[in-house]
Amino acid sequence: MRKFTFVLLLCLCLTARADEGMWVMGNLSEKTDSILRSLGLELTPEELYSTENPSLNDAIVQLGGFCSGVVVSPDGLMFTNHHCGFDAIQDHSTPKHDYLKNGFFAKSFEEELPNEDLFVLFHIKTVDVTDLILGAIPADANDLQADSIIDAVSRRLIEMVDYSGKGIESEVNAFYKGSKYYLSVYQRYEDVRLVYAPPQCLGKYGGDTDNWMWPRQTCDFSVFRIYADKDNNPAEYSKDNVPYHPRKYAHVSTQGYYDGSYAMTLGYPGSTDRYLSSYGIESTMRTINDVRYQVRGVKLSILDEAMKQSDALRIMYASKYASSSNYWKFSLGQNTALDNLHVIAEKQQLERDLMQWAQEDTLARGRYIGVLDSLQQFYTDNYETLYGRNLWIESFYSGSDIFGFVLRNLMRSRDDDFQERVAKQYRDIDVATDKKVFLALLQNYIQHVPHERFQLTDIPQEVDSLYGGDYARYVDYLYEKSVFAHPEELKKVHTFDELNEDPMYLAAIDVLGSFFAVWGWHGDVETHERLLGEGIREMNHDHEYYPDANFTMRLSYGLCKPIDFAPGTTGLKEEATSMMTTPRSFLNKHEQNPDNYDYRLIPPVYKWMKKGKFSPQYIDKRTHQLPLCFLTTNDITGGNSGSGMFDGKGRLIGLAFDGNWEAMSGDLKFDNALQRCIGVDIRWVLSVMDDYSHAKRLIKELTIE
Ligand code: ARG
C-alpha cells in the first residue's frame, strides 16, 4: 500500500510537473539542474555550458537574427529548419533552377552557395549586470527617463567588453521586464553557405494547412555551412574562406526516444510575455491579434492570386507570403486558445490573490496595491491608440513593399547608402501586385481606423477633389507617376531626399502624419507590468520563475510525450494521439486531399515515399517505421525554430520547428497539459538526405551514434 501511494504520488507529481521554462544558459540554478538530472539528463553542468572547455553550448547558434541552428560536423556543417533557410533558398531559386520546388544539394564545397544577409552568432558567455544598471536609475524616474539611463549604461558596458577576439560583439538584455539585466557576449560569423535543402513538398509539407498544428509530417530542415578565414576566424565572404572548425559539434543519435524519455532544446526563443496582466492579454487579443488577422487576410489573398499566375511570381513572393501567413494564422490560434483555455479568468484569479496578499501586510507590500488599477486605466485609456498603431503598422509599414520602403526612408535620419537599400528592397517586388496590395490596404485602413484623430487627411481630400472619390484611380496615378514604382528609374537617383516632390513621397508624409497621432500613448505601462510581475514572484517566492524569452540563448527541458487531447483535424486519428508520425500518414494526407496544394508532391518524392525503402539504420526500433515528426513537452516559441533537440546523453534527436494549435496561447501562458514542441526526427532528416538525395558526402561528415 505504501508503495502504491508512493507510486501514485510520483505519477501525480509527474503529470502536474510543468516543463514550462526557458532557462538562461550559463545561469541554471541548482534546483533546475537537479530537475534536469531527475528527468534523465546525463551531461554534467560543465558539459552543457562552460566558459573554459568546449560544451554543448558551443554547438548552438543564433541564425540571422530570427532562428536557431546546431553545428553537426567538424567542418562547420549546420542544421536548421527549412522555414529558416527559406529566404536563402528562394534567393537562389529561378524558374529554371527551382530549388524551392526540387530541393538543392551542393555536391562539393565549391557548389555551396553564399548568402549575403545570413550570419550566425556563437554564444561565448553571459554576465549579470543588474546592479550596475538598476543602481544608476533614480527612484523617481519615469519609463522614458529610466530607458535613456539604461541605454547609456548598457552602451558603456558594451564598450568595456574585450573586442580583440575577432567578430566579438555584445548586447545587454532586460530580463523579467527589466527587473534584471544580463550582458551576453557572442562571436559572429558572416560567411554562411547553403549546402542542402529538401524539396519544398518535404521541407514545407502541409504548408499553411498544417502550420501550428499536430499531427505533422513536415521534414522541416535545411543545411548550411559556416566558413572562416584560414585561421578559423570570422571573415566576410571570400572564395578563399575555408570551412569553420567549431569548438564543439553535436553528435547525432539514431537511437530515438520513447514516451517519457528525456528531451531538451537549446536555442534562441524570441519573445514571450508570460507575466502579462489580464488587461494586457485582453489588449493583445483585440489590438494586435484581431488587427493582424484582419489586415493580413486582405493582403494574403492578393499575394495568393498573384503567386498562381506564374512560377516567377510564385518564387518571388514565396518567402514574404510564408512569413506573413505564419503570424496571420498564429493570431487566430492564439486568440482561440486564450478563449478555450480561459486564460484571462485564470490571470484575474492570480491578480485577485495578489491583491489579497498585498492587503495582508500593507506596510511591506503596499506598493502593489494600486498596480492593477493603473494597468486597467492604461489599457482603457490607450485602447484606440494601440489599435490604431497596429493597424497603421500592418497597413502601411509592412503592407505594400514599395510604400513601406518610402515610409521607412522617411523615418530614417541618415540618407546614405540609398542605392544599396533600393537594391535590397526591390529584389522581389512585382509592381502590379504591389499596387493591388497598396490600394486594398489603404482602403481597409480608412475603413477601420478607430478614431478620427488617426485618419489620413491629404489623401482622402485629393481622392475626393481630383478622382471623384475613386481610390483605384488615385492609386493608378500614384503608381504611374511615382519613381518608386519604376525600379529602373529609381536606380538613377542618388539620395532619397531628391524625391521630395514625388507623389508617393507626399502620400507617405500624410500617412506618417497619422502615425504621429498614434505614436504617443500615455502612462508608464512598463513600470506597472514589471511591478505586477515582481509582486507575483514575491508572493510565490518558493516557486522558481524563469525570465521571458528575449532572443537570448535558453535551455528548455522536458520529456517526449503525446498529447491526450488532440482533435487531429487532419491525418490518422491514432497519430493525432500518438507522439510520432509515420510515412503512412504522410501519404494519407496527400492521397485524401488531392486538391490541396499544401499536400502536393513532386513525382520523385511521391515515388520514393510510396516505395517506402528507407535505410534500416533510420527505422525506429520500437515501431519499425521511419519516424517523421514527434512531440515533446519542451517550452519553445518563435526564434527556437531550428533548435537542436537532445536526448539525455546530449545527442541530437531532432530539430524543433513548431508548436500546437491547442495551446497557442503559450506565449502568454504555458499550458502544462496541452503545450507541446513539434520536432522533425533526425532520422527523417537523415533518410531524406541519404535515401532520397544520396547526399553521402554530408552524411559522412556527421558523427552518428
Ligand atoms: N509555425 C512555425 C514557426 O513559427 C513556422 C512554420 C513554417 N511553415 C509554414 N507553413 N509557414 O516557427
Side-chain angles (χ1 to χ4, degrees):
M1 182 66 193
R2 261 188 63 192
K3 191 166 167 205
F4 176 69
T5 330
F6 175 70
V7 171
L8 190 73
L9 265 179
L10 191 76
C11 293
L12 280 178
C13 290
L14 275 184
T15 48
R17 194 214 55 244
D19 291 326
E20 173 174 4
M22 302 168 167
W23 306 94
V24 180
M25 269 304 251
N27 202 23
L28 297 186
S29 69
E30 261 171 52
K31 187 169 164 189
T32 308
D33 191 62
S34 76
I35 295 176
L36 298 183
R37 237 141 287 286
S38 72
L39 292 179
L41 179 66
E42 295 171 29
L43 299 187
T44 64
E46 280 277 298
E47 289 171 315
L48 210 50
Y49 170 84
S50 160
T51 48
E52 263 93 70
N53 300 311
S55 61
L56 202 50
N57 166 79
D58 300 320
I60 306 302
V61 296
Q62 194 252 67
L63 172 67
F66 52 86
C67 270
S68 307
V70 49
V71 180
V72 289
S73 94
D75 283 331
L77 208 60
M78 176 194 77
F79 285 168
T80 184
N81 288 150
H82 184 265
H83 77 265
C84 297
F86 200 78
D87 209 35
I89 303 165
Q90 180 204 314
D91 249 7
H92 295 294
S93 295
T94 60
K96 204 162 149 227
H97 296 284
D98 195 340
Y99 301 141
L100 278 178
K101 186 170 168 193
N102 302 314
F104 172 75
F105 169 40
K107 297 200 176 58
S108 63
F109 288 112
E110 290 70 36
E111 287 183 17
E112 299 181 355
L113 299 171
N115 301 284
E116 212 185 306
D117 296 328
L118 271 193
F119 62 87
V120 295
L121 298 182
F122 285 93
H123 174 231
I124 308 286
K125 64 176 162 191
T126 290
V127 190
D128 189 343
V129 293
T130 309
D131 293 346
L132 294 171
I133 292 203
L134 294 187
I137 304 174
D140 57 353
N142 64 25
D143 276 1
L144 217 63
Q145 293 160 332
D147 282 349
S148 77
I149 295 170
I150 293 165
D151 266 2
V153 181
S154 301
R155 251 179 287 133
R156 273 297 292 144
L157 288 168
I158 287 169
E159 278 163 22
M160 284 158 67
V161 173
D162 177 7
Y163 293 98
S164 47
K166 292 204 186 132
I168 297 293
E169 60 185 52
S170 59
E171 187 177 82
V172 173
N173 294 292
F175 289 71
Y176 304 102
K177 291 193 195 294
S179 302
K180 276 198 167 295
Y181 287 85
Y182 293 109
L183 174 111
S184 295
V185 182
Y186 301 100
Q187 188 168 30
R188 175 193 287 252
Y189 281 78
E190 306 211 319
D191 187 353
V192 179
R193 304 188 194 173
L194 179 65
V195 177
Y196 180 89
Q200 174 170 306
C201 64
L202 289 168
K204 202 186 168 191
Y205 186 69
D208 287 322
T209 311
D210 282 4
N211 193 15
W212 302 109
M213 285 177 164
W214 177 261
R216 201 61 164 274
Q217 295 79 9
T218 316
C219 200
D220 199 343
F221 84 102
S222 58
V223 185
F224 289 80
R225 190 189 305 282
I226 304 160
Y227 279 75
D229 69 12
K230 291 197 179 61
D231 303 317
N232 211 32
N233 284 319
E236 270 182 32
Y237 168 77
S238 149
K239 62 177 182 12
D240 300 329
N241 285 349
V242 293
Y244 165 70
H245 305 304
R247 269 159 68 88
K248 172 92 185 171
Y249 65 92
H251 292 192
V252 172
S253 166
T254 52
Q255 306 302 306
Y257 41 77
Y258 50 89
D259 186 346
S261 69
Y262 182 82
M264 81 183 157
T265 59
L266 297 179
Y268 284 83
S271 152
T272 56
D273 215 342
R274 298 264 169 85
Y275 308 104
L276 190 65
S277 62
S278 57
Y279 304 106
I281 295 181
E282 178 76 40
S283 170
T284 302
M285 294 175 78
R286 302 286 84 88
T287 71
I288 299 179
N289 290 344
D290 284 349
V291 174
R292 186 158 51 194
Y293 190 69
Q294 194 275 327
V295 181
R296 290 194 188 187
V298 173
K299 176 175 171 172
L300 287 167
S301 67
I302 295 170
L303 294 188
D304 187 46
E305 270 310 306
M307 289 169 74
K308 284 185 192 140
Q309 284 168 24
S310 71
D311 281 342
L313 281 176
R314 172 180 54 77
I315 294 171
M316 180 181 279
Y317 279 102
S319 182
K320 282 176 181 160
Y321 186 95
S323 64
S324 180
S325 75
N326 192 27
Y327 276 82
W328 165 78
K329 190 169 176 188
F330 172 92
S331 300
L332 176 68
Q334 187 178 58
N335 276 6
T336 309
L338 285 168
D339 280 335
N340 289 348
L341 303 177
H342 310 291
V343 171
I344 290 186
E346 236 180 87
K347 273 274 156 134
Q348 284 168 338
Q349 184 57 49
L350 182 67
E351 289 163 358
R352 276 194 296 271
D353 293 347
L354 177 73
M355 285 306 111
Q356 200 175 355
W357 170 86
Q359 299 287 358
E360 282 163 12
D361 182 354
T362 50
L363 207 60
R365 305 167 188 168
R367 62 196 196 109
Y368 300 121
I369 286 175
V371 67
L372 285 177
D373 292 339
S374 308
L375 283 167
Q376 180 176 26
Q377 185 80 41
F378 172 85
Y379 287 107
T380 310
D381 288 354
N382 291 287
Y383 171 78
E384 286 163 344
T385 310
L386 295 168
Y387 186 105
R389 194 184 150 95
N390 289 317
L391 182 68
W392 189 94
I393 291 172
E394 290 290 336
S395 308
F396 298 123
Y397 195 77
S398 45
S400 132
D401 293 319
I402 294 180
F403 194 76
F405 176 73
V406 182
L407 272 178
R408 277 189 288 282
N409 276 283
L410 267 184
M411 292 165 96
R412 280 172 68 101
S413 48
R414 294 189 352 244
D415 191 24
D416 51 2
D417 324 329
F418 180 60
Q419 277 307 330
E420 235 172 80
R421 277 178 277 137
V422 169
K424 260 200 186 127
Q425 175 73 23
Y426 279 76
R427 214 161 25 195
D428 292 316
I429 291 180
D430 173 58
V431 176
T433 303
D434 193 78
K435 182 165 117 180
K436 287 186 194 146
V437 171
F438 179 67
L439 172 63
L441 296 192
L442 174 65
Q443 289 179 300
N444 189 65
Y445 179 85
I446 290 171
Q447 190 188 340
H448 287 90
V449 72
H451 195 284
E452 270 311 303
R453 340 192 261 292
F454 313 140
Q455 195 54 279
L456 307 178
T457 52
D458 300 355
I459 294 176
Q461 248 171 36
E462 199 176 328
V463 173
D464 278 341
S465 60
L466 297 179
Y467 302 95
D470 186 345
Y471 276 87
R473 273 178 56 211
Y474 165 70
V475 172
D476 278 344
Y477 152 80
L478 215 58
Y479 275 71
E480 194 190 309
K481 289 285 177 264
S482 171
V483 175
F484 293 105
H486 296 88
E488 286 311 314
E489 282 174 47
L490 191 62
K491 279 189 194 143
K492 297 176 203 144
V493 176
H494 300 290
T495 70
F496 177 71
D497 285 335
E498 276 171 44
L499 299 173
N500 59 13
E501 305 277 316
D502 186 279
M504 189 93 81
Y505 189 106
L506 298 175
I509 288 190
D510 187 25
V511 168
L512 195 58
S514 75
F515 183 69
F516 288 128
V518 292
W519 175 248
W521 53 49
H522 26 276
D524 289 340
V525 67
E526 288 164 32
T527 306
H528 297 304
E529 286 285 3
R530 177 170 59 240
L531 194 60
L532 177 71
E534 282 173 4
I536 289 169
R537 289 198 295 277
E538 195 179 319
M539 171 172 76
N540 299 329
H541 53 85
D542 287 341
H543 188 86
E544 190 174 6
Y545 286 98
Y546 57 91
D548 268 314
N550 57 0
F551 222 46
T552 55
M553 186 156 157
R554 303 295 178 91
L555 172 152
S556 85
Y557 58 75
L559 303 174
C560 296
K561 269 250 163 282
I563 333 180
D564 296 333
F565 159 77
T569 43
T570 47
L572 290 177
K573 275 278 173 307
E574 60 268 30
E575 290 214 336
T577 51
S578 122
M579 64 169 207
M580 191 185 97
T581 52
T582 63
R584 188 61 252 157
S585 64
F586 178 101
L587 286 169
N588 276 357
K589 280 186 177 174
H590 168 74
E591 283 159 6
Q592 290 164 7
N593 301 281
D595 297 328
N596 189 337
Y597 176 83
D598 291 333
Y599 300 125
R600 223 161 271 173
L601 300 175
I602 56 173
V605 167
Y606 180 66
K607 245 176 46 211
W608 176 65
M609 288 299 288
K610 191 82 185 163
K611 202 162 162 206
K613 281 250 175 304
F614 311 110
S615 298
Q617 66 269 32
Y618 307 135
I619 300 296
D620 185 63
K621 310 287 174 296
R622 291 171 191 84
T623 58
H624 311 290
Q625 305 270 353
L626 180 71
L628 306 191
C629 297
F630 68 116
L631 292 176
T632 70
T633 58
N634 294 133
D635 185 358
I636 63 157
T637 186
N640 266 118
S641 287
S643 293
M645 300 170 80
F646 298 94
D647 67 8
K649 294 185 162 54
R651 304 176 303 192
L652 193 67
I653 53 172
L655 302 168
F657 74 91
D658 213 351
N660 59 312
W661 194 251
E662 296 76 15
M664 274 186 58
S665 39
D667 282 357
L668 303 179
K669 167 88 175 49
F670 186 92
D671 190 284
N672 291 325
L674 294 180
Q675 190 151 333
R676 292 292 181 275
C677 160
I678 306 178
V680 51
D681 192 303
I682 210 67
R683 295 165 292 183
W684 177 217
V685 168
L686 297 180
S687 175
V688 166
M689 281 205 289
D690 195 352
D691 301 331
Y692 176 75
S693 296
H694 311 290
K696 295 279 181 228
R697 90 171 182 102
L698 305 180
I699 300 285
K700 267 196 234 141
E701 281 187 48
L702 310 173
T703 303
I704 300 178
E705 296 183 1

